[in-house]
Amino acid sequence: MILAIANQKGGVGKTTTAINLAAALALRQRKTLLIDLDPQANSSMSFVDLRNVQKNMYDVFLDTSVNIKDVILPTALEYLAVAPARIALAKLEARMTGDLDAPFRLKDQLAQVIDEYPNVVIDCPPALGLLTVNALVAATHILIPIQSSYFALEGTDDLLETIEKVRQRPNPELRILGVVITMHDRRTALGRDIREQIRKVFGDKVFRTVISKSVRLEESPAYRESIFTFAPDSSGATEYYSLCEEVMDRA
Ligand SMILES: Nc1ncnc2c1ncn2[C@@H]1O[C@H](COP(=O)(O)OP(=O)(O)OP(=O)(O)O)[C@@H](O)[C@H]1O
Ligand SMILES: [Mg+2]
């Protein structure tokens, strides 16, 4: 399973989902590689000290002499490794346009490590540019986090169109694994309405597990931990664990 966590909308919970899903898989003793393609590098920071990072995904994309194996770092979790990002990823797209194989870089690199990491989770940036396209071309599945908010579904047409384009040519096997509702407030009528709306559009693609709005989840990145070590008894830990079960069942 190569799972791209993608939605070009900013701040919908992609990184939080990538971090905690990758950690949940690792805690279930599934060997997992978390690839950080978000220039903010929050996924990387949660598991590695960026001061120890020599090479990162930016080098893998731009320097053909750098292999993805050169950037993968171990984490405190035995079954989890991370391929970190760096802020410079933001400048990458401009430098790569024009290269004919630009959309295929990640796919080619992943082919070399997939035997070692049967599960790969990719944290995508909030854009439908070359980095997200690289993730979609390399992925077997996409998981779409949608924030439970008034404009929840805004922009999903563009995302679905991009997925369809990738499916027509470079990656016909790409499947939508599911849609996860994040930052949900089940106490309000608005929250319940939004959930209904999302269900109408995506039907049974919507995961049964809904991620609630939670202060614990919001705080955990600041402590550089997944929710499972930061607040193991919180709702966020239970919900991401249950999302992980659904992901494993569907993949
Ligand atoms: N379930 C939740 N409850 C409360 N806060 C959350 C929850 N999930 C994420 N957040 C917070 O919301 C903000 C955005 O989340 P996150 O960084 O995961 O989104 P993102 O889609 O990766 O954003 P970007 O598009 O900028 O990469 C962060 O401050 C995060 O801590
Ligand atoms: Mg992010």
Side-chain angles (χ1 to χ4, degrees), residues 36 40-50 87 221 224-225:
D36 194 352
Q40 295 160 97
N42 291 328
S43 291
S44 312
M45 282 180 237
S46 289
F47 296 110
V48 297
D49 187 338
L50 286 184
I87 313 296
R224 309 200 162 171
E225 284 185 70

Side-chain angles (χ1 to χ4, degrees), residues 41-115:
N42 291 328
S43 291
S44 312
M45 282 180 237
S46 289
F47 296 110
V48 297
D49 187 338
L50 286 184
R51 284 171 303 186
N52 300 334
V53 171
Q54 306 284 328
K55 299 260 192 246
N56 70 90
M57 286 307 294
Y58 181 83
D59 305 299
V60 173
F61 277 104
L62 274 188
D63 182 349
T64 43
S65 72
V66 177
N67 189 281
I68 193 166
K69 288 180 185 165
D70 304 332
V71 310
I72 294 175
L73 293 172
T75 70
L77 293 178
E78 187 188 345
Y79 287 83
L80 180 66
V82 174
R86 205 185 50 183
I87 313 296
L89 265 176
K91 294 188 206 138
L92 184 111
E93 310 227 344
R95 294 193 53 187
M96 275 173 76
T97 40
D99 291 358
L100 286 177
D101 71 332
F104 299 93
R105 291 279 167 85
L106 186 60
K107 186 186 173 76
D108 293 348
Q109 289 288 333
L110 275 182
Q112 306 175 49
V113 291
I114 200 67
D115 289 341

